[in-house]
Amino acid sequence: MTDTRTVSRPLRLWRASGLRGWGGVAGMAAACALTAAVTLLPLAHGGADALSPHPAGQGTAVPRKADDCKDPEASLRPSTAGGPNIDAIKARGKLIVGVDQNSYRWGYRNPAGGDQDPAGPGGGEAGAAPATGGVLEGFDIDLARAIAENIVGSKDDIIFRAIPTNQRIAALDSGAVDIVVRTMTINCSRIEQVAFSTAYFQAGQQVLAPKSSPITGYDTSLAGKRVCSAEGSTAYEALEKNSFGATFRDEHDGQSGDEDLYTVPNQLDCLVRLQQGLVDAIVTDNALAAGQAAQDPAVELKGDKPFTTEFYGVATKLGKDDLVRRVNQVLVGYRKGPWMQAYDKWLATDLPGITGPPEPKYRAE
């Protein structure tokens, strides 16, 4: 069965008016207000030191250099072979996965889950969290379960650990999780810090703002505006390169006194600030922004298309080559049918027009 643990966490008050879907942000807040059925990692600005290590196998390697990076999406070739990290996971009997619990349709708590609608997008699965705590589900959750089933034998042989955006790499470094399946973009700077699978989804950065806003996209219309992004995200990196005169940094960014106003631990916090009038726009992945727009019909994606092209990958600690190869083997089969089924189930309504997953790229070995 899925391993569930209870941790209570303080919550902000969120405006609920004008939301639809399964209750929008109000529903998300209600779900999170219930006792969580995953292990929540401590929220901190101190990186890996904030996380308790739970070693599993080995993971030591010389990182790839960003200045030599030409094709960051190229990963190790797939394999069904075992290895020290695969063996450690099998011996434990559970795959520990870092996920999101706040991203609608990707990794989120559905308070209407459980036994109420087991077949539909809001339905639960055997071994999932009890309905009273909200079922953890979404596109990334389905993929994580497929990986667990391949390695350990059952999609329910899994421990979910909810981690903020800015703690994904720290969670891997400390050994708190085996893998991260959390809309994590593969890029040249990150391949120095973690190892990635082949790409499983193509996305891109886009601006989300109220429909009534004069903001037209990632352009000069952002001048003088307050823009929110998640700490440690590629959206924040894009704003660092060119903010078009927008305010996007907190005064004490990355420090113990970080205000968490414009740069926040989780991208859903940006939607809350936008609804409260604390910021004028959000920059985030279009895949995540589409889910936020589905939650609040007063906002929309600005611009005709994303201003970047990015690919999501499953992340592991550097050096865990056997685990990377096994995840890539899972993805070989997942692309042949389950991927499209998951897309139709979770994403097609809000992110239509996608005909299939990105083609895998492998390194020359």
Side-chain angles (χ1 to χ4, degrees):
M1 294 180 63
T2 304
D3 194 313
T4 59
R5 306 183 185 188
T6 301
V7 178
S8 59
R9 185 180 183 183
L11 296 168
R12 301 175 178 88
L13 295 177
W14 309 11
R15 182 173 67 81
S17 62
L19 301 180
R20 58 188 176 91
W22 61 281
V25 174
M28 192 79 77
C32 294
L34 298 168
T35 53
V38 295
T39 301
L40 295 177
L41 296 182
L43 176 60
H45 299 286
D49 291 341
L51 303 175
S52 300
H54 298 278
Q58 304 170 4
T60 303
V62 177
R64 297 167 67 189
K65 297 296 183 182
D67 53 4
D68 297 330
C69 178
K70 296 180 180 178
D71 200 355
E73 292 86 28
S75 183
L76 297 173
R77 292 195 173 274
S79 174
T80 59
N85 301 287
I86 296 293
D87 293 345
I89 294 167
K90 287 183 174 181
R92 185 201 301 135
K94 302 281 185 180
L95 177 70
I96 305 177
V97 186
V99 297
D100 199 350
Q101 66 168 3
N102 296 315
S103 291
Y104 189 51
R105 299 299 198 191
W106 287 90
Y108 73 107
R109 290 204 162 277
N110 184 354
D115 296 329
Q116 297 180 24
D117 185 16
E125 298 181 82
T132 53
V135 174
L136 190 63
E137 58 188 24
F139 189 87
D140 278 349
I141 304 302
D142 281 4
L143 175 55
R145 288 188 180 278
I147 296 169
E149 183 173 23
N150 179 277
I151 295 175
V152 193
S154 169
K155 65 182 181 181
D156 297 322
D157 289 335
I158 194 166
I159 298 172
F160 291 120
R161 288 195 165 149
I163 51 176
T165 303
N166 65 344
Q167 293 291 315
R168 291 176 297 190
I169 293 173
L172 290 167
D173 284 344
S174 70
V177 298
D178 298 313
I179 61 174
V180 168
V181 187
R182 195 189 183 286
T183 59
M184 190 168 181
T185 298
I186 307 167
N187 60 28
C188 289
S189 63
R190 285 180 178 165
I191 62 172
E192 292 189 338
Q193 301 169 286
V194 298
F196 280 103
S197 71
T198 53
Y200 68 85
F201 198 87
Q202 179 178 331
Q205 297 299 314
Q206 202 160 353
V207 175
L208 186 74
K211 291 179 178 178
S212 59
S213 171
I215 293 172
T216 57
Y218 183 68
D219 53 34
T220 55
S221 65
L222 293 176
K225 303 300 185 183
R226 303 161 299 171
V227 179
C228 185
S229 64
E231 295 170 352
S233 68
T234 49
Y236 183 81
E237 293 173 5
L239 289 166
E240 282 188 308
K241 293 176 181 177
N242 190 356
S243 68
F244 293 100
T247 299
F248 70 96
R249 286 191 180 96
D250 292 321
E251 183 178 353
H252 299 97
D253 253 1
Q255 303 175 35
S256 58
D258 196 334
E259 293 82 2
D260 284 342
L261 177 58
Y262 304 126
T263 55
V264 296
N266 287 297
Q267 55 86 24
L268 183 67
D269 295 331
C270 283
L271 182 58
V272 176
R273 281 152 180 72
L274 186 65
Q275 292 175 324
Q276 293 175 336
L278 299 176
V279 299
D280 302 303
I282 301 167
V283 176
T284 188
D285 299 358
N286 68 324
L288 299 176
Q292 293 180 351
Q295 291 174 266
D296 187 346
V299 302
E300 65 181 2
L301 289 165
K302 299 290 185 174
D304 295 334
K305 59 183 181 180
F307 60 87
T308 65
T309 298
E310 303 178 3
F311 296 91
Y312 297 157
V314 177
T316 68
K317 187 176 181 179
L318 282 172
K320 293 191 173 184
D321 290 359
D322 58 324
L323 185 52
V324 175
R325 292 181 188 277
R326 179 62 69 87
V327 171
N328 284 341
Q329 183 65 47
V330 174
L331 287 171
V332 168
Y334 203 73
R335 292 185 182 96
K336 295 178 180 178
W339 190 98
M340 204 66 201
Q341 293 169 11
Y343 167 76
D344 288 339
K345 180 179 181 181
W346 301 112
L347 306 178
T349 299
D350 304 323
L351 207 64
I354 297 175
T355 58
E359 290 293 322
K361 296 180 180 181
Y362 300 111
R363 298 182 210 162
E365 298 181 35

